[in-house]
Amino acid sequence: MPKVKALQCALALEIRSVTCPGVVLKDKEDIYLSICVFGQYKKTQCVPATFPLVFNARMVFEKVFPEAIDPGDVVAQLEYDTAVFELIQLVPPVGETLSTYDENTRDFMFPGPNQISGHHDSNRQVTMRRISGLRGIAPKLEFSTTSVITECLISSKKCRTQTSKILCGSRISYF
């Protein structure tokens, strides 16, 4: 099967903590953070229900863009994806969402006035939206990101189905 060039975007996400000074949760069940980027769902380990919630979790999200010919095409396509974070407490029977944060993936990965400014590594805080019974101030999510766009090779069959599995290839960093 012939191989074709494509671009892959990878996001390394380090979740440090969620802070919410002065807020005491009424339920004492553990809490985790659910994250969706590139349509991929991942979650942190559960932590005790006392702020600050310290996660110290590292996750990597990857997606191949078979139609992209330069990194600008990838960044433009990221506007149509949404990065979603949900702070969830394990309250029976299915859990309760305490707060959320969402932003288009382009702005989440490349904040600031210059969207493509080279290798991006940032320590950031964003304010989440309160949901349900969470009283007091809105929680702040503290994290850092590193984003990279690389060239890869995928089979032409995989290219047509736009799967994100990389079969082999060279990794040439644009950032």
Side-chain angles (χ1 to χ4, degrees), residues 26-170:
K26 65 178 179 157
D27 294 311
K28 297 303 174 195
E29 286 83 1
D30 286 351
I31 295 177
Y32 68 94
L33 197 60
S34 172
I35 301 105
C36 179
V37 179
F38 303 144
Q40 302 165 24
Y41 288 87
K42 298 185 182 191
K43 66 180 188 175
T44 65
Q45 294 291 325
C46 291
V47 298
T50 304
F51 287 107
L53 306 171
V54 179
F55 293 104
N56 291 323
R58 180 173 166 80
M59 302 172 184
V60 176
F61 298 87
E62 297 177 320
K63 181 174 181 177
V64 172
F65 295 84
E67 302 298 322
I69 56 174
D70 70 47
D73 294 338
V74 172
V75 173
Q77 289 182 40
L78 293 176
E79 287 185 37
Y80 301 104
D81 186 67
T82 303
V84 179
F85 294 76
E86 295 179 313
L87 189 63
I88 300 172
Q89 189 168 29
L90 297 174
V91 178
V94 294
E96 180 179 2
T97 301
L98 301 175
S99 61
T100 63
Y101 174 77
D102 60 83
E103 183 174 21
N104 83 60
T105 303
R106 174 185 174 167
D107 292 343
F108 176 74
M109 289 176 63
F110 305 106
N114 185 358
Q115 298 293 341
I116 299 181
S117 58
H119 186 72
H120 191 73
D121 187 7
S122 66
N123 295 314
R124 300 174 44 204
Q125 288 185 359
V126 295
T127 302
M128 300 181 80
R129 285 186 301 280
R130 289 177 288 140
I131 307 253
S132 68
L134 188 61
R135 305 274 186 244
I137 66 170
K140 283 194 179 176
L141 173 63
E142 297 177 1
F143 62 96
S144 65
T145 61
T146 303
S147 304
V148 65
I149 297 173
T150 57
E151 188 175 83
C152 64
L153 295 174
I154 59 175
S155 72
S156 59
K157 179 181 178 183
K158 298 284 185 189
C159 185
R160 285 191 300 274
T161 59
Q162 295 193 7
T163 186
S164 63
K165 183 174 180 175
I166 298 174
L167 301 177
C168 66
S170 60

